[in-house]
Structures are given as C-alpha cells and as structure tokens.
Amino acid sequence: MDVAEIISHHILDHDWGVALGGFRIPLTTHSVTILAVSVVLFGLLCWIARARQSRSGRLLTALAEEYVLFIRDGMVLPNMGKEGKNFLPYFCTLFLFILFVNLAGMIPEMKTATSNISVTAALALCSGGLILYSGLKFHGIIGFLKGFVPSGTPGWLVPLIFPLEVVSLVIKVCVLAIRLFANMLSGHMVLICLLLIIFIVGQMHVAAGAGALVPAMCLEIFMTCLELLVAFLQAYVFTLLTAIFAGSVIHTH
C-alpha cells in the first residue's frame, strides 16, 4: 500500500486534462468545486429572494436576515464601526463562500478547495484589497500612509517604524491565507490517516486489523464532527480577521 500516493490523491488538486479545439482548459478538481459552490450559492440565494410567499420561503428569508445581522452586529460594526456598513455584502459573501467550500470537501468524490494555498491566497488578496481600499477611501493616500506611523513617534524612529508597519500589513494578509490553508489541509489529512490505520494494521495481521476497526472508526466519526466545526470556525475566523484588519486601517491610532 502506497500511503503517500493515497494521501496525495485525496488531498492534492488534479488537472482534468480537458482540451477544446486544441486549447487546454485549466479545469481542475478544485476549480470545479469552486464553480459548483458558486452556482449552488447563487441559485440558493436567488430562490430565497423569490420564495417569500411560501412558508418555507418566509422561514429561509428570516434565516437569511438573521445571518446578515450576525455578520453585521458580530463582526463588521464592532470592528469597523458605521464605516463598515458599505462593506457588509462582501463579508456576507466571504463567510458563506468559505463555509460552503469547506463543507464541500466532506462530500464523497469532492475535495476541499481551501486546502489549496492558491485558493486561500486569492481569498486573502481580495481581503487585502478591501483593507487597502478602506484605508484609502477614508483617509486618502497621505492619511493612509500616515497611519503606518503611530502618533507621538519620535522623528528619528519613523524610518524604522514605517517599513515595519508596512511589512506587518503584508504579514496580516499572508496569515489569512496560511491559517485557512493549514487548518483545512491538516484536518483532512488526519481523517485519511485514521482510515489508513485500519488497512495498514490489517496488512500486518487480519485479527489486528479487525481489532483496530472499531477504535479507528470511532476516532474517524469524532474527527469528522470536529472537521464540521472547523469548517464553520475557519470561515468565521477568516471573516472576523478581515474585519479587524480593515477596522485597524480605518480607525488608526
């Protein structure tokens, strides 16, 4: 049994090798997952918006309103203030998208696109763009640059503090990408390794494999439930940190 091959097959992205008219189409498992999640989310939200007359439609509409209030009152307003209201659609979309992509990896034959550093880096760049836009919108270029130097800093320290603060902002964006990538990748690797324990021990001895079946499956069920919690938690943390970082450039000290 090639453990490395099995893990890479379930974790890494794979090119589908689709070509049209002699041109290669960059279609991979992760890109298909992202596209499918986007279509499902778009269709679901459109259906909720139009199905207000039925009982189920009113229930879903109420849930959607509670979700928006959760994002607005729990993340945006406490960290960005009233200035963050204009960015509420982005945060609502960001949380739902990351959550659904995380959960999609729990479906058989699908993979978690957020375990790909390219995907999380793209999401982090979007949040980084929002952070820069927030600072430039409310302070202008000069005011935004002044925000990198805390008030009361001695003049001789400015050449040292300014580049450190710029690097700090870049690190914050990188942290968004690495945190989401590392947590989702490690979680799925643990799930796969727990299942592989049964087969690895079973190759040594049939009785030992049968004995490892029950504890390994109990751990697998526990880790699956934990992974569902992590899927929600990582979407929450990513969205919350984006709001915190954006609020830090809006309300400078």
Side-chain angles (χ1 to χ4, degrees), residues 50 54 117 130 149 154 165 179 184 227 239 245 247 250-251:
R50 295 182 178 181
S54 62
I117 188 62
L130 180 134
V149 180
E165 289 293 326
R179 178 192 293 271
M184 299 312 301
E227 190 68 10
T239 309
F245 296 156
I250 293 176
H251 306 287

Side-chain angles (χ1 to χ4, degrees), residues 10 23 30 59 65 83 95 121 138 144 170 181 187 215 218:
H10 287 85
F23 294 95
H30 287 167
L59 176 61
E65 291 174 353
E83 295 87 353
F95 180 89
F138 294 104
F144 176 66
V170 175
F181 158 73
C218 290

Side-chain angles (χ1 to χ4, degrees), residues 179-232:
R179 178 192 293 271
L180 180 59
F181 158 73
N183 279 281
M184 299 312 301
L185 177 65
S186 60
H188 284 279
M189 288 189 67
V190 169
L191 291 178
I192 295 172
C193 291
L194 287 175
L195 283 177
L196 288 176
I197 288 176
I198 301 172
F199 300 100
I200 293 174
V201 175
Q203 283 186 335
M204 300 177 182
H205 196 279
V206 177
L213 176 62
V214 174
M217 288 306 300
C218 290
L219 283 173
E220 181 74 13
I221 294 173
F222 171 76
M223 289 303 301
T224 300
C225 296
L226 186 61
E227 190 68 10
L228 293 174
L229 175 62
V230 169
F232 173 85

Side-chain angles (χ1 to χ4, degrees), residues 21-152:
F23 294 95
R24 177 180 167 277
I25 301 176
L27 200 63
T28 66
T29 305
H30 287 167
S31 63
V32 171
T33 300
I34 291 174
L35 180 61
V37 168
S38 301
V39 171
V40 168
L41 274 177
F42 182 77
L44 178 63
L45 294 176
C46 288
W47 180 70
I48 292 175
R50 295 182 178 181
R52 296 182 178 180
Q53 302 304 321
S54 62
R55 169 181 265 180
S56 60
R58 289 194 296 270
L59 176 61
L60 290 175
T61 300
L63 290 175
E65 291 174 353
E66 288 298 323
Y67 165 71
V68 173
L69 291 176
F70 164 71
I71 298 295
R72 187 193 69 181
D73 298 337
M75 300 185 194
V76 177
L77 292 183
N79 295 292
M80 300 179 67
K82 61 181 181 180
E83 295 87 353
K85 287 184 178 180
N86 293 331
F87 303 109
L88 183 59
Y90 173 79
F91 288 99
C92 291
T93 304
L94 181 67
F95 180 89
L96 271 184
F97 179 78
I98 296 176
L99 177 62
F100 273 61
V101 171
N102 290 347
L103 294 176
M106 307 299 292
I107 301 174
E109 300 302 326
M110 295 189 72
K111 296 180 181 179
T112 305
T114 44
S115 63
N116 187 332
I117 188 62
S118 300
V119 175
T120 59
L123 290 171
L125 285 176
C126 291
S127 293
L130 180 134
I131 293 169
L132 289 176
Y133 176 75
S134 301
L136 294 173
K137 178 181 179 181
F138 294 104
H139 300 291
I141 297 179
I142 303 301
F144 176 66
L145 294 177
K146 286 183 178 179
F148 288 107
V149 180
S151 59

